[in-house]
Amino acid sequence: MTSFVSARNTGVSAVQFVLQADGVAEPEEPEEVSEPEPEQTFWDKFTALFDFR
């Protein structure tokens, strides 16, 4: 078994280790793709001016 304590240190009852690792990244959420709105004709835009819903 390997000793992780120096022979010069006396009276050691416990040893602590610090381990540094890369962080865990969150998975990226896919962007929602919206359907493009249908292109309005001149007549559609004109009648929308008088649409009182």
Side-chain angles (χ1 to χ4, degrees), residues 31-39:
E31 294 181 18
E32 294 182 21
V33 178
S34 61
E35 295 182 21
E37 294 183 19
E39 191 172 322

Side-chain angles (χ1 to χ4, degrees), residues 14 19 30 34 38 45 50:
L19 181 68
S34 61
K45 293 176 184 178
F50 303 103

Side-chain angles (χ1 to χ4, degrees), residues 15-45:
V15 179
Q16 264 185 334
F17 293 92
V18 176
L19 181 68
Q20 185 174 1
D22 294 334
V24 178
E26 291 185 27
E28 293 183 20
E29 294 181 17
E31 294 181 18
E32 294 182 21
V33 178
S34 61
E35 295 182 21
E37 294 183 19
E39 191 172 322
Q40 292 184 333
T41 63
F42 170 77
W43 190 249
D44 292 332
K45 293 176 184 178

Side-chain angles (χ1 to χ4, degrees), residues 5-6 9 12 41-43 51:
V5 180
S6 172
N9 295 335
V12 178
T41 63
F42 170 77
W43 190 249
D51 190 16

